[in-house]
Amino acid sequence: MARTVQLYDEPNWVGYAVEMPVFPDVVASGILLLPRDLKPGERRPVVVCQHGLEGRPEAVCDPKIKSVYHAFGAQLADRGTSSTHPRIPTSATNDIGRSCAS
């Protein structure tokens, strides 16, 4: 079963850490940004936003983090576009589930 934790509460959108099982012992995680004007049942495109190798999705979607990404995920959400920011573990950094940990 998927788990979510609200991370962001911005004027035009909300953001959630999302963690969901894919296979036994395999979990997919990341951050999902949703515009506040999204109506129940409404369908919109979702942009998948990738950060650089060994980066973290927060650099792409947190408007308070100053980085080369300029929080383009947050800018998309401000304009009414949903976006997802996958957490890609590497051998050097494996922090899956850190945001959703109980």
Side-chain angles (χ1 to χ4, degrees):
M1 175 184 245
R3 297 187 305 168
T4 62
V5 173
Q6 186 172 341
L7 297 177
Y8 304 105
D9 186 13
E10 297 295 319
N12 296 325
W13 53 273
V14 292
Y16 301 92
V18 179
E19 183 179 87
M20 65 187 121
V22 180
F23 297 108
D25 298 325
V26 177
V27 175
S29 69
I31 297 175
L32 176 65
L33 304 183
L34 298 172
R36 288 194 182 274
D37 65 349
L38 190 65
K39 310 240 181 325
E42 180 181 359
R43 295 174 57 132
R44 291 190 194 178
V46 174
V47 177
V48 178
C49 302
Q50 184 58 52
H51 52 83
L53 182 62
E54 303 217 6
R56 298 178 55 122
E58 290 82 0
V60 178
C61 59
D62 189 332
K64 294 172 185 68
I65 294 177
K66 303 301 178 204
S67 77
V68 296
Y69 298 111
H70 303 288
F72 70 86
Q75 291 183 49
L76 287 167
D78 277 334
R79 295 177 177 143
T81 301
S82 299
S83 59
T84 183
H85 310 264
R87 188 173 305 280
I88 309 296
T90 66
S91 59
T93 90
N94 187 347
D95 55 359
I96 286 181
R98 185 172 292 167
S99 298
C100 288
S102 308

